[in-house]
Structures are given as structure tokens and as C-alpha cells.
């Protein structure tokens, strides 16, 4: 711990910024509002189909971006590895302290069937240890995503967020332990941020947040879990959209004693030992079966490319190389034989109302420029991965809908796509 990071500055009560980010995006972004609605509908469809026995565990590649302004904040590889070890136990229900769950709740314990590993290759296919290190002049960050941008925020740019779980470790201010972006948000800021004193179990990790549970909690949000009390204050009317978690009146902090009753949920009370409550690290030890199914639905839906994605093939790389990537407008007058024709934005198009477009980016993100109100362009973000070596791309929208697109022709001034039956 550095001279500037005294014990008095360390958080003593859990604070999470995920809902602040969620509400901000709901206010600012129509595409996020639409995506969130579609993702919830998709969760309802996919949750009953979840089966770890049939699918096997999902393995998620992780890149940890260490952003530091002091030597202490430049945490060690060992501290990072200790966090990955915690995640692999917590998301498989093999953590040593799971036996502290009261017997009346033991039947709720769920193995989410999710495992994590530090990425062994970078976005260009080169060997990697899954860790990046960036020196910054920013003393502390907040939940406004500055740490996720080298150019505008003094942080580190993400690796392609549809292929890696990006985790930024830095100094967070205002007592903030961490935050995550729910699925459906902007591609460029997707991921999880954790303050370095609440990351892992060694090094700069400090009690009562030194058991790695802040990352467990925030990755829960990243995989579409809400706080267990439903984020309605103490109103008892909020919902975390999970059927097997008891109704609860607000967050529990510190180390509650069982039972803690609220919202008339006696005799057993709150499931305060759940990872999505607000207790100290030592107080949270489990996900429920329902939470595991909801995360599984997320991984089979909007985040499917995260664990099924493949490195870009040469044919597809040519399409989205930096010199070729960009925004293309639909030249629908030239469509033929079920093939859509696109021209660069600066092309001299015939006069027409409402001309949508498409955009592939080198980082694997994708934007469908739809025609909105008043013929205004409306961006709908998503991601792409190669489907094969024959110029086919698998495009996934922010809501998790997937379609295969075949590149028929690509020239400097003409892009032709066979989109099948897509509208």
C-alpha cells in the first residue's frame, strides 16, 4: 500500500456502480432500452432450457487491464491469478466456505457451470498471458468509463469485447469497489472494473474485500444478474427476475446474522449469503440455481460469441482490415438475386428517402444503421465473428439475435452481402 493509500481511504462498506451505469444508459440510449427488453424476453425463453450436464462448462477468456499511477496499483501476476482461482470456485460452487450456507437454503445452491482463464492469445493471435499494463496520470477513476479508453480517459482500450471478458483493475474513487456493464450496452465499454484493493486475495487486496468476491459480484451483473433485493430501496416490490431468490427489503451489508427477516420473508429471511447482495466478502458464498440458469441464458444468447468465437480467418480479415473497415450505405437500387449492395458513405447515391447502412469494424464490433424516425439513422450495435473460411460472418445483435452473412464481393467502392432471409 502506498503512502497515498492509507487504511482510512479503503472502502469499509460495499458499493457497486453497475446500476448507476444501467440507469444512465437507459436514459441516454434508445438502442440500449430496446436491447434490454429483447434480452429479457430471450432470457425467459432460454432459462428453462439450461443444462450444464448437456452443454458442459462454459470457458471464458479473460484479459485483465492493470491501469496504475503508483507501483502498488501495478498489481502482480500472482494477485491476478488469485482472482481467477476465486472465480473458478465461485461459479462452480466449489468454494471452501460454501458450507456456511444455512441448511434451509442448501437446496438453492447452484453450480453456474462457468469457468475462466487468462487469455493465451491476443486479438492478433500472438501468445499472451492475458494481462496488459498501462501507466496513467489519473489518480482515481469512477463509473463513467474513463479507464476503458487510452485516448480520452487515461486508461486502456479493451480487447474485442465480444471475444474476451475485459476486466480493468485500477484505483476507483469515492469508496467504489467496482462496476459492470449489463449485456446490451455499447461494445466499446463492455466489461468489468474493479478497484485494486478489492481484486484477488493477495498483494494490495484489503479486508473486508480481500477474498475476490467483488469480481464475482460484478461478473454476475455482466452475465445479466441484478442485485438480489431488486434495486427498489426497501420497497419489497422490486425483482431480480430470478424465481428462487427470496423477496428482500434492501441490501445487507457487513456480516449479517441468520436469519435476517424483511418483507415478511420469515422464518428464514433474506438470502444474504448470495453473491448479489452487499455483504463483506466473507459473507457471500453462493449463487442459486435460478441465477445460474439466468447466466446460462445470457451465455446462450447475447454473450454466446464470448465462448464460441474464433479468431478471424484471412478471408474475413481482408473484409474488416483497417483500410477497408468503415460505414457503408445500402445502394438498394443495385440489389440483385437476393444480394444486397452497399457503397461507401461518400458515394454519389440517387436521391431517395431512408437509406440504411452497415458497418463492420476491425475490433469485431458491428453496427446496423437502420432507418429511424424522420428518416434519421438509428444505430443498432452488435458483434461479428467468422462462421467459416468462405467469407461468411456470424453477426450477433446487441439483443443476442444471430444471423449468418456471406460476403459475395468486396471492392474499395462496393460491398455485396448475401443476408439470406434477414429483413
Amino acid at each position: 500500500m502506498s503512502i497515498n493509500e492509507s487504511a482510512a481511504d479503503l472502502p469499509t462498506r460495499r458499493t457497486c456502480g453497475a446500476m448507476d451505469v444501467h440507469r444512465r444508459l437507459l436514459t441516454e440510449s434508445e438502442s440500449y432500452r430496446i436491447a434490454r427488453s429483447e434480452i429479457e424476453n430471450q432470457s425467459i425463453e432460454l432459462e428453462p432450457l439450461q443444462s450444464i450436464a448437456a452443454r458442459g462448462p462454459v470457458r471464458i477468456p479473460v484479459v485483465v487491464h492493470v491501469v496504475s499511477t503508483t507501483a502498488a496499483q501495478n498489481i502482480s501476476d500472482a494477485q491476478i491469478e488469485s482472482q481467477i482461482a476465486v472465480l473458478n470456485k465461485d461459479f462452480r460452487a466449489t468454494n471452501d466456505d460454501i458450507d456456511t450456507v444455512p441448511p434451509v437454503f442448501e437446496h438453492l445452491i447452484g453450480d453456474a457451470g462457468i469457468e475462466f482463464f487468462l487469455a493465451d492469445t491476443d486479438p492478433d493471435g500472438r501468445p499472451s498471458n492475458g494481462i496488459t499494463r498501462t501507466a496513467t496520470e489519473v489518480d482515481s477513476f469512477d463509473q463513467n468509463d474513463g479507464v476503458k479508453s487510452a485516448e480520452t480517459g487515461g486508461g486502456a482500450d479493451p480487447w474485442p469485447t465480444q471475444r474476451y471478458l475485459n476486466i480493468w483493475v485500477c484505483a476507483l474513487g469515492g469508496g467504489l469497489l467496482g462496476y459492470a456493464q449489463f449485456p446490451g450496452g455499447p461494445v466499446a465499454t463492455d466489461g468489468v472494473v474493479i478497484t485494486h484493493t478489492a481484486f484477488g486475495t493477495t498483494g494490495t487486496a484489503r479486508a473486508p474485500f480481500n477474498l475476490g468476491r467483488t469480481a464475482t459480484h460484478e461478473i454476475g451483473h455482466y452475465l445479466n444478474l441484478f442485485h438480489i433485493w431488486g434495486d427498489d430501496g426497501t420497497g419489497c416490490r422490486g425483482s431480480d427476475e430470478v424465481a428462487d431468490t427470496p423477496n428482500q427489503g434492501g441490501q445487507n451489508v457487513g456480516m449479517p446474522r441468520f436469519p435476517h427477516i424483511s418483507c415478511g420473508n420469515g422464518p428464514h429471511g433474506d438470502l444474504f449469503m448470495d453473491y448479489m447482495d452487499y455483504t463483506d466478502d466473507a459473507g457471500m458464498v453462493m449463487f442459486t440455481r435460478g441465477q445460474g440458469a439466468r447466466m446460462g441464458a445470457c451465455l446462450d444468447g447475447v454473450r454466446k460469441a464470448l465462448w464460441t468465437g474464433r479468431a478471424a480467418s484471412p478471408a474475413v480479415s481482408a473484409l474488416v482490415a483497417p483500410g477497408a473497415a468503415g460505414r457503408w450505405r445500402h445502394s438498394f437500387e443495385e440489389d440483385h438475386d437476393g444480394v444486397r449492395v452497399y457503397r461507401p458513405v461518400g458515394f454519389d447515391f440517387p436521391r431517395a428517402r431512408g437509406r440504411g447502412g452497415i458497418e463492420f469494424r476491425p475490433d469485431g464490433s458491428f453496427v446496423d444503421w437502420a432507418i429511424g424516425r424522420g428518416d434519421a439513422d438509428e444505430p443498432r450495435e452488435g458483434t461479428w465473428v467468422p462462421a467459416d473460411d468462405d467469407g461468411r460472418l456470424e453477426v450477433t445483435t446487441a439483443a443476442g439475435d444471430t444471423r449468418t452473412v456471406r460476403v459475395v464481393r468486396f471492392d474499395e467502392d462496393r460491398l455485396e452481402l448475401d443476408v439470406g432471409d434477414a429483413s
Side-chain angles (χ1 to χ4, degrees):
M1 191 183 303
S2 72
I3 295 174
N4 295 325
E5 295 162 332
S6 67
D9 298 326
L10 295 173
T12 58
R13 177 171 172 156
R14 185 172 302 280
T15 52
C16 162
M19 288 305 295
D20 290 338
V21 173
H22 175 59
R23 291 174 180 129
R24 170 173 57 81
L25 290 173
L26 287 174
T27 300
E28 296 175 352
S29 171
E30 182 178 3
S31 63
Y32 182 69
R33 293 192 294 272
I34 293 170
R36 288 302 307 163
S37 177
E38 293 175 348
I39 289 167
E40 286 305 311
N41 290 335
Q42 189 177 64
S43 292
I44 293 171
E45 295 176 2
L46 293 178
E47 282 179 35
L49 307 177
Q50 295 305 304
S51 171
I52 298 171
R55 183 187 61 198
V58 167
R59 300 191 73 240
I60 296 177
V62 178
V63 55
V64 176
H65 305 286
V66 180
V67 180
S68 61
T69 189
T70 69
Q73 293 171 12
N74 189 20
I75 62 173
S76 68
D77 289 4
Q79 185 169 344
I80 294 169
E81 290 163 359
S82 75
Q83 179 63 75
I84 299 299
V86 169
L87 294 175
N88 282 328
K89 290 184 177 181
D90 289 353
F91 282 82
R92 295 305 312 269
T94 59
N95 45 303
D96 295 339
D97 49 3
I98 202 165
D99 60 1
T100 62
V101 174
V104 295
F105 287 142
E106 286 180 350
H107 68 287
L108 297 177
I109 295 173
D111 172 6
I114 303 170
E115 299 173 359
F116 304 83
F117 65 98
L118 288 169
D120 52 14
T121 56
D122 72 7
D124 296 321
R126 296 172 300 200
S128 171
N129 66 353
I131 302 170
T132 74
R133 298 185 180 274
T134 302
T136 184
E137 296 181 356
V138 179
D139 290 333
S140 64
F141 294 91
D142 56 24
Q143 64 262 46
N144 290 328
D145 292 333
V147 73
K148 301 175 183 178
S149 172
E151 182 176 354
T152 63
D157 294 335
W159 288 8
T161 55
Q162 83 285 359
R163 291 166 50 196
Y164 302 91
L165 164 54
N166 285 258
I167 301 177
W168 288 265
V169 181
C170 61
L172 289 173
L176 184 63
L177 289 180
Y179 70 96
Q181 181 174 292
F182 282 94
V187 172
T189 53
D190 200 10
V192 170
V193 182
I194 308 291
T195 197
H196 71 102
T197 60
F199 191 78
T201 62
T202 63
T204 63
R206 293 292 180 268
F209 306 113
N210 60 337
L211 300 181
R213 264 52 192 273
T214 297
T216 301
H217 177 101
E218 299 303 339
I219 292 172
H221 288 313
Y222 172 84
L223 296 175
N224 209 31
L225 294 186
F226 291 108
H227 290 134
I228 194 170
W229 67 92
D231 294 287
D232 68 334
T234 58
C236 296
R237 295 184 179 180
S239 174
D240 63 354
E241 308 299 338
V242 177
D244 64 359
T245 55
N247 193 20
Q248 179 174 314
Q251 67 266 39
N252 288 283
V253 299
M255 293 292 291
R257 291 187 177 183
F258 175 81
H260 183 266
I261 297 171
S262 66
C263 297
N265 60 11
H268 307 315
D270 299 347
L271 191 71
F272 58 76
M273 66 292 308
D274 190 274
Y275 293 125
M276 302 313 294
D277 208 334
Y278 256 28
T279 65
D280 294 347
D281 276 17
M284 49 174 60
V285 300
M286 64 171 284
F287 288 118
T288 69
R289 295 173 183 267
Q291 288 173 321
R294 183 173 171 87
M295 289 189 283
C298 177
L299 287 165
D300 278 341
V302 63
R303 296 211 185 278
K304 188 169 185 177
L306 185 67
W307 59 284
T308 61
R310 297 170 291 276
S313 67
V316 176
S317 295
L319 167 66
V320 295
R327 187 170 167 184
W328 302 78
R329 285 194 177 277
H330 187 191
S331 183
F332 50 79
E333 299 90 347
E334 300 183 273
D335 288 355
H336 62 92
D337 303 320
V339 173
R340 293 187 186 179
V341 178
Y342 295 85
R343 296 286 194 172
V345 170
F347 185 76
D348 186 15
F349 293 98
R351 188 170 222 168
R353 287 195 63 186
R355 191 179 294 278
I358 200 167
E359 182 175 358
F360 290 99
R361 296 170 179 163
D363 67 355
S365 59
F366 162 82
V367 181
D368 181 7
W369 293 94
I371 303 168
R373 187 175 301 174
D375 293 336
D377 289 344
E378 179 180 290
R380 297 177 181 173
E381 297 198 24
T383 59
W384 66 267
V385 293
D388 56 27
D389 292 333
D390 193 28
R392 286 181 170 83
L393 310 178
E394 187 176 272
V395 176
T396 304
T397 68
D401 299 319
T402 300
R403 71 177 188 264
T404 299
V405 176
R406 184 170 65 90
V407 181
V408 177
R409 173 181 171 182
F410 170 66
D411 298 319
E412 183 177 342
D413 64 348
R414 187 182 182 98
L415 173 65
E416 297 189 5
L417 299 178
D418 181 354
V419 298
D421 295 330
S423 59

